[in-house]
Amino acid sequence: MKMKIIELDGHPLLGNALTILRNKKSSGGEFRNAANIVSKFLAIETARDILPVREVKIETLVGQTTGTVIDDSKKIILVPILRSGLAMLPMLQEVIPNYDIGFVGQKRDEATAEPKEYYCNIPVNHGSPDVYRVVILDPMIATGGSAAATIKLLVEKYKIPQEIIYLVAIVAAPEGLELLSETFSQVTVLIAARDERLNAKKFIVPGFGDFGDRFFGSEKPKEVI
Ligand code: URA
């Protein structure tokens, strides 16, 4: 079985926002607005895949009809990977009516590019059967290491089945997607763009540079060639 990868198609607003994210001259404000736009597209696409609906009979002002509403009785957990995943969280909160939020802190060791878990708080009892979908947020799938470590944690420690795990990212490198699909063939991945490759420093090419630094403004954007 192959891992399902859903890639957003070329909407003009999406293309425009991705170009702003890629442009090293974009200001912090432009970068954040563009990231919000892409995250909103991803949130809507994620919702298409994960939200159950039910039929309701309603009265309009001129008659009766049957419509659909979101069945918000199902437990959905959003899991941003700290800290960049936090950038995507508000847009998912806007479109998903009912959710709990878990956090996983993965820090990339800049020398080895390996992820190191430093925080974990998932609002679910280990092995609890009532979780309907879990949505991991990580804007950049570079080596795939942080995402893989987070999925492994959810599957092994919290006994969450791969089939209900979604990984949502703004951009992915082929190397990261390959690593994930080798290990987690039943997880679904949603991305806005698939870039060319990783460079020697394990940054995505052409990519955006350091997403967290640019979104949160914590460091002056620097080239990573
Ligand atoms: N994390 C980033 O912020 N950028 C990359 O290119 C890779 C990982």
Side-chain angles (χ1 to χ4, degrees):
M1 191 173 168
K2 264 186 100 181
M3 185 175 77
K4 187 172 162 197
I5 302 174
I6 301 171
E7 201 169 331
L8 300 185
D9 58 5
H11 191 290
L13 289 172
L14 189 60
N16 188 67
L18 285 167
T19 304
I20 293 169
L21 293 174
R22 295 190 188 292
N23 192 342
K24 70 176 183 183
K25 295 189 175 147
S26 298
S27 68
E30 288 166 333
F31 190 88
R32 272 188 287 276
N33 285 342
N36 288 342
I37 289 169
V38 181
S39 299
K40 190 65 165 272
F41 271 99
L42 286 164
I44 290 169
E45 201 54 38
T46 305
R48 184 211 298 276
D49 242 58
I50 68 166
L51 288 184
V53 293
R54 60 184 170 80
E55 282 199 348
V56 285
K57 286 195 194 333
I58 53 161
E59 288 183 13
T60 74
L61 289 170
V62 279
Q64 293 186 330
T65 189
T66 304
T68 55
V69 291
I70 307 296
D71 175 2
D72 65 2
S73 64
K74 309 273 187 189
K75 188 175 174 73
I76 292 174
I77 305 180
L78 305 176
V79 183
I81 300 183
L82 303 177
R83 80 185 151 147
S84 295
L86 288 177
M88 302 171 75
L89 184 61
M91 295 299 125
L92 278 104
Q93 291 177 281
E94 271 188 20
V95 302
I96 296 177
N98 192 18
Y99 53 81
D100 292 331
I101 305 177
F103 297 94
V104 174
Q106 302 274 4
K107 189 150 177 55
R108 175 162 124 143
D109 182 319
E110 291 304 335
T112 62
E114 291 293 324
K116 239 182 122 57
E117 183 189 313
Y118 65 90
Y119 185 73
C120 172
N121 186 341
I122 306 291
V124 61
N125 293 327
H126 298 200
S128 163
D130 67 341
V131 181
Y132 182 68
R133 297 285 184 265
V134 178
V135 183
I136 301 169
L137 308 175
D138 186 6
M140 314 289 282
I141 302 178
T143 62
S146 304
T150 303
I151 298 170
K152 191 164 179 274
L153 177 83
L154 293 170
V155 171
E156 292 183 357
K157 186 165 171 194
Y158 293 91
K159 308 291 175 223
I160 300 203
Q162 278 192 42
E163 307 85 88
I164 67 166
I165 298 179
Y166 286 69
L167 168 63
V168 183
I170 293 181
V171 64
E175 293 90 330
L177 292 175
E178 205 171 306
L179 174 96
L180 291 167
S181 63
E182 273 167 16
T183 331
F184 306 109
S185 59
Q186 287 143 285
V187 167
T188 302
V189 180
L190 284 98
I191 55 175
R194 189 188 307 233
D195 272 7
E196 288 165 22
R197 62 187 168 85
L198 296 178
N199 69 10
K201 293 184 176 155
K202 309 286 186 206
F203 275 76
I204 299 174
V205 182
F208 313 149
D210 190 301
F211 186 94
D213 285 352
R214 295 188 74 186
F215 190 92
F216 298 110
S218 44
E219 296 248 359
K220 205 170 159 333
K222 51 182 181 295
E223 292 190 346
V224 267
I225 300 168

Short mmCIF file of all heavy atoms in Angstrom, two decimals, residues 108 141-144 172-176 195-205:
data_model
loop_
_atom_site.label_atom_id
_atom_site.label_comp_id
_atom_site.label_asym_id
_atom_site.label_seq_id
_atom_site.Cartn_x
_atom_site.Cartn_y
_atom_site.Cartn_z
N ARG A 108 15.02 20.57 15.91
CA ARG A 108 15.97 20.01 14.95
C ARG A 108 17.37 20.32 15.43
O ARG A 108 17.71 21.48 15.65
CB ARG A 108 15.67 20.63 13.59
CG ARG A 108 16.62 20.26 12.50
CD ARG A 108 15.96 20.56 11.17
NE ARG A 108 16.74 21.45 10.34
CZ ARG A 108 16.82 21.32 9.03
NH1 ARG A 108 16.19 20.37 8.41
NH2 ARG A 108 17.52 22.18 8.33
N ILE A 141 8.09 19.74 5.54
CA ILE A 141 8.57 18.35 5.64
C ILE A 141 9.90 18.31 4.88
O ILE A 141 9.91 18.26 3.64
CB ILE A 141 7.58 17.34 5.03
CG1 ILE A 141 6.21 17.45 5.72
CG2 ILE A 141 8.12 15.91 5.14
CD1 ILE A 141 5.16 16.52 5.14
N ALA A 142 10.98 18.39 5.60
CA ALA A 142 12.31 18.40 4.96
C ALA A 142 12.84 16.96 4.93
O ALA A 142 12.55 16.21 4.01
CB ALA A 142 13.22 19.35 5.72
N THR A 143 13.58 16.55 5.96
CA THR A 143 14.01 15.13 6.01
C THR A 143 12.83 14.23 6.37
O THR A 143 12.88 13.03 6.16
CB THR A 143 15.09 14.93 7.08
OG1 THR A 143 14.52 15.26 8.36
CG2 THR A 143 16.30 15.81 6.83
N GLY A 144 11.79 14.82 6.94
CA GLY A 144 10.64 14.03 7.43
C GLY A 144 10.87 13.50 8.84
O GLY A 144 10.00 12.84 9.40
N ALA A 172 6.85 20.18 0.99
CA ALA A 172 7.56 18.93 1.33
C ALA A 172 8.67 18.69 0.32
O ALA A 172 8.54 19.00 -0.87
CB ALA A 172 6.59 17.76 1.31
N ALA A 173 9.76 18.12 0.81
CA ALA A 173 10.84 17.66 -0.09
C ALA A 173 10.59 16.19 -0.40
O ALA A 173 10.09 15.45 0.45
CB ALA A 173 12.18 17.83 0.61
N PRO A 174 10.97 15.74 -1.60
CA PRO A 174 10.76 14.33 -1.95
C PRO A 174 11.41 13.38 -0.94
O PRO A 174 10.87 12.33 -0.64
CB PRO A 174 11.42 14.20 -3.33
CG PRO A 174 11.55 15.58 -3.85
CD PRO A 174 11.58 16.51 -2.68
N GLU A 175 12.58 13.78 -0.40
CA GLU A 175 13.30 12.92 0.57
C GLU A 175 12.43 12.64 1.79
O GLU A 175 12.39 11.52 2.30
CB GLU A 175 14.60 13.59 1.02
CG GLU A 175 15.66 13.73 -0.07
CD GLU A 175 15.57 15.04 -0.85
OE1 GLU A 175 14.46 15.58 -1.00
OE2 GLU A 175 16.61 15.51 -1.35
N GLY A 176 11.75 13.69 2.29
CA GLY A 176 10.91 13.54 3.48
C GLY A 176 9.69 12.68 3.19
O GLY A 176 9.31 11.82 3.99
N ASP A 195 8.60 20.46 -3.32
CA ASP A 195 9.77 21.13 -3.87
C ASP A 195 10.77 20.13 -4.43
O ASP A 195 10.52 18.93 -4.46
CB ASP A 195 10.39 22.04 -2.81
CG ASP A 195 9.74 23.44 -2.84
OD1 ASP A 195 8.76 23.61 -3.58
OD2 ASP A 195 10.23 24.35 -2.16
N GLU A 196 11.93 20.67 -4.89
CA GLU A 196 12.86 19.82 -5.66
C GLU A 196 13.65 18.84 -4.81
O GLU A 196 13.81 17.68 -5.16
CB GLU A 196 13.88 20.72 -6.37
CG GLU A 196 13.30 21.48 -7.53
CD GLU A 196 14.24 22.60 -7.96
OE1 GLU A 196 15.46 22.53 -7.69
OE2 GLU A 196 13.73 23.56 -8.56
N ARG A 197 14.23 19.33 -3.71
CA ARG A 197 15.21 18.50 -2.98
C ARG A 197 15.62 19.19 -1.69
O ARG A 197 15.17 20.30 -1.41
CB ARG A 197 16.46 18.28 -3.85
CG ARG A 197 17.18 19.56 -4.17
CD ARG A 197 18.32 19.39 -5.15
NE ARG A 197 18.75 20.69 -5.62
CZ ARG A 197 19.62 21.49 -5.01
NH1 ARG A 197 20.19 21.10 -3.87
NH2 ARG A 197 19.94 22.67 -5.49
N LEU A 198 16.52 18.52 -0.96
CA LEU A 198 17.15 19.15 0.21
C LEU A 198 18.56 19.59 -0.18
O LEU A 198 19.19 18.93 -1.02
CB LEU A 198 17.27 18.13 1.36
CG LEU A 198 15.97 17.60 1.95
CD1 LEU A 198 16.27 16.59 3.04
CD2 LEU A 198 15.11 18.74 2.50
N ASN A 199 19.04 20.66 0.45
CA ASN A 199 20.45 21.01 0.21
C ASN A 199 21.32 20.33 1.27
O ASN A 199 20.83 19.54 2.10
CB ASN A 199 20.64 22.54 0.16
CG ASN A 199 20.44 23.21 1.52
OD1 ASN A 199 20.34 22.54 2.54
ND2 ASN A 199 20.39 24.53 1.52
N ALA A 200 22.62 20.62 1.26
CA ALA A 200 23.54 19.93 2.17
C ALA A 200 23.21 20.21 3.63
O ALA A 200 23.50 19.42 4.51
CB ALA A 200 24.96 20.36 1.87
N LYS A 201 22.56 21.39 3.88
CA LYS A 201 22.18 21.71 5.27
C LYS A 201 20.79 21.19 5.61
O LYS A 201 20.22 21.57 6.65
CB LYS A 201 22.24 23.23 5.48
CG LYS A 201 23.66 23.75 5.38
CD LYS A 201 23.71 25.23 5.68
CE LYS A 201 25.15 25.70 5.66
NZ LYS A 201 25.27 27.12 5.37
N LYS A 202 20.24 20.38 4.71
CA LYS A 202 18.91 19.76 4.91
C LYS A 202 17.79 20.80 4.91
O LYS A 202 16.76 20.63 5.57
CB LYS A 202 18.85 18.93 6.20
CG LYS A 202 19.97 17.92 6.34
CD LYS A 202 19.77 16.75 5.41
CE LYS A 202 20.82 15.68 5.65
NZ LYS A 202 21.08 14.87 4.48
N PHE A 203 18.00 21.89 4.19
CA PHE A 203 16.92 22.83 3.97
C PHE A 203 16.28 22.52 2.62
O PHE A 203 16.94 22.02 1.71
CB PHE A 203 17.44 24.28 4.01
CG PHE A 203 17.49 24.83 5.41
CD1 PHE A 203 18.50 24.44 6.29
CD2 PHE A 203 16.51 25.71 5.87
CE1 PHE A 203 18.53 24.92 7.59
CE2 PHE A 203 16.53 26.18 7.18
CZ PHE A 203 17.55 25.80 8.04
N ILE A 204 14.99 22.84 2.53
CA ILE A 204 14.25 22.54 1.30
C ILE A 204 14.61 23.55 0.21
O ILE A 204 14.66 24.75 0.47
CB ILE A 204 12.73 22.56 1.58
CG1 ILE A 204 12.37 21.49 2.62
CG2 ILE A 204 11.94 22.34 0.30
CD1 ILE A 204 10.90 21.51 3.07
N VAL A 205 14.87 23.03 -1.00
CA VAL A 205 15.22 23.87 -2.15
C VAL A 205 14.08 23.77 -3.18
O VAL A 205 13.67 22.66 -3.51
CB VAL A 205 16.53 23.36 -2.81
CG1 VAL A 205 16.92 24.26 -3.98
CG2 VAL A 205 17.66 23.25 -1.78
#
